[in-house]
Amino acid sequence: MMFEKIALIGIGLIGSSIARAVHQHGLAGSIAISTRKAETLAEARALGLGDSYTLDSAEAVRGADLVILCVPVGAYGAVMADIAQSLRPGAILSDVGSVKEHVVKVLAPLVPKDVSLIPGHPIAGTEYSGPAAGFAELFVGRWCVLTPGPEVAPQAVAKLRGFWQAIGSKVEIMDPGHHDMVLAITSHVPHLVAYNIVGTVADLEAATQSEVIKFSASGFRDFTRIAASDPVMWRDVFLTNRDAVLEMLGRFLEDLSVLQRAVRMSDGPALEAMFTRTRAIRRSIIDAGQETAIADFGRPHGAEAPAVAEVSENSAFVARADHGGGDDA
Ligand code: NAP
């Protein structure tokens, strides 16, 4: 047991995955769960994710030696205002938000002196939301970035590092601004591109749209999985990591213009050289253990494959129905 009481504020995909992993590894004496809506709390209770349940986040954090905020980044200010006075002296306050500089800016002024603020970001996720979407193995083999300030005691950082390692993550310590720049290009801009390409299809006239859906396996389908990610969470990512996203988006658009020109000029060697470089990047991601080398992202084929209707019934476009994506925010 690493902590006496862990308080999870927010119990969606990430919060419920942490709860499941904490249970699985016996890392806490008790887990207190708090969320905004009564129906989400009831769902968490029905799933047996915690030991106590409350809509009052201040009550949840009372006596907790680890508090993890698992709500959209845009909600941090209001949540922090509710819990700040109830945090236990000596506690660690962390989070899982996809953006880090903004989080430090919002949380740090409200953190009591005797509480260690150690922002965190597990680079793991799927396109699903809510308490039922979580699973204990979500963090296994995935990175978790921690961004403590220089004032935080090394023992507190070591303790939180040990926590994430115990639930299967590899941990890296980073400066919050550097984190935001790296994630802008590895996660935020790719999501923006996916939202855009799927949005373009959504705006097509009906006849063309149905053909795109019919032939989606030719590439479009893989964008739809990312573009099915939670709208509120992603709205907040772009509102709070604006500068880094705009910087990376600028580079992306410059490179896209180069490709556009190569296509216009029928510059085969330029296109081939570019596609050869990108193939090497994918190979290095597989070598780093961050993706499967199985063809077609490991989708089942032939007899193992589920009926198409089964996969697509909840989605306007065909999306991946398994848990293994390792997609992140
Ligand atoms: P989720 O499944 O949608 O769950 C969100 C949770 O936050 C729910 O318990 C929800 O409660 C609560 N919540 C939403 N709006 C709130 C508000 N305004 N005030 C208070 N509580 C609110 O989201 P998630 O995917 O777990 O994401 C949570 C955090 O993890 C986000 O900060 C996100 O950036 C980060 N993250 C996500 C991923 C990913 O792939 N999904 C990966 C890494 C990090 P109610 O249902 O009661 O409203």
Side-chain angles (χ1 to χ4, degrees):
M1 185 172 101
M2 296 183 79
F3 292 95
E4 285 172 35
K5 175 180 174 183
I6 297 180
L8 299 172
I9 310 302
I11 194 70
L13 169 71
I14 302 295
S16 74
S17 294
I18 293 175
R20 288 174 167 96
V22 167
H23 278 302
Q24 189 178 79
H25 298 281
L27 300 178
S30 67
I31 301 177
I33 289 173
S34 178
T35 189
R36 180 180 53 167
K37 295 184 190 150
E39 55 266 36
T40 307
L41 198 66
E43 198 182 342
R45 194 194 294 269
L47 290 164
L49 295 173
D51 300 288
S52 61
Y53 303 86
T54 174
L55 292 174
D56 179 356
S57 50
E59 182 189 324
V61 306
R62 228 164 265 136
D65 45 353
L66 174 61
V67 174
I68 309 180
L69 307 187
C70 305
V71 300
V73 175
Y76 277 32
V79 167
M80 191 58 193
D82 287 342
I83 66 172
Q85 300 306 315
S86 304
L87 291 167
R88 166 177 162 175
I92 293 174
L93 172 65
S94 190
D95 79 310
V96 293
S98 311
V99 166
K100 295 276 63 91
E101 210 161 40
H102 173 85
V103 161
V104 174
K105 205 161 74 191
V106 171
L107 296 186
L110 297 170
V111 176
K113 286 232 169 330
D114 47 10
V115 168
S116 301
L117 172 64
I118 311 177
H121 177 202
I123 318 284
T126 74
E127 66 277 30
Y128 298 106
S129 306
F135 51 105
E137 301 75 23
L138 177 63
F139 310 109
V140 175
R142 302 285 164 201
W143 285 100
C144 179
V145 176
L146 301 180
T147 65
E151 73 291 351
V152 178
Q155 300 91 306
V157 178
K159 196 163 180 195
L160 193 61
R161 176 194 280 271
F163 171 79
W164 281 103
Q165 286 171 336
I167 61 177
S169 287
K170 303 179 280 185
V171 176
E172 184 114 338
I173 307 289
M174 242 185 231
D175 167 76
H178 185 65
H179 164 279
D180 290 355
M181 199 56 91
V182 171
L183 267 291
I185 192 60
T186 56
S187 173
H188 306 171
V189 169
H191 275 77
L192 207 59
V193 170
Y195 280 125
N196 191 52
I197 198 163
V198 178
T200 301
V201 168
D203 288 342
L204 290 175
E205 61 281 9
T208 317
Q209 196 182 96
S210 66
E211 279 183 337
V212 172
I213 292 168
K214 183 169 159 189
F215 299 118
S216 63
S218 56
F220 175 70
R221 176 177 72 175
D222 292 331
F223 283 100
T224 63
R225 187 174 71 81
I226 295 178
S229 300
D230 189 70
V232 171
M233 170 191 146
W234 281 96
R235 175 201 68 192
D236 287 358
V237 167
F238 293 112
L239 292 179
T240 57
N241 197 24
R242 200 179 55 163
D243 293 348
V245 167
L246 289 177
E247 163 67 25
M248 288 303 173
L249 196 57
R251 294 182 188 213
F252 173 82
L253 291 172
E254 277 173 28
D255 292 341
L256 194 60
S257 301
V258 172
L259 274 181
Q260 185 183 31
R261 185 176 163 76
V263 172
R264 190 193 308 286
M265 307 302 282
S266 299
D267 188 347
L271 292 171
E272 193 178 334
M274 169 69 165
F275 303 158
T276 304
R277 278 169 60 210
T278 56
R279 189 177 238 199
I281 294 272
R282 176 156 176 86
R283 215 169 287 131
S284 57
I285 290 171
I286 292 167
D287 291 347
Q290 296 297 303
E291 175 58 296
T292 174
I294 304 169
D296 201 9
F297 298 96
R299 284 192 179 94
H301 290 283
E304 299 163 43
V308 169
E310 214 176 289
V311 180
S312 61
E313 67 184 1
N314 292 323
S315 168
F317 305 113
V318 178
R320 210 172 155 195
D322 66 283
H323 266 149
D327 187 43
D328 63 73

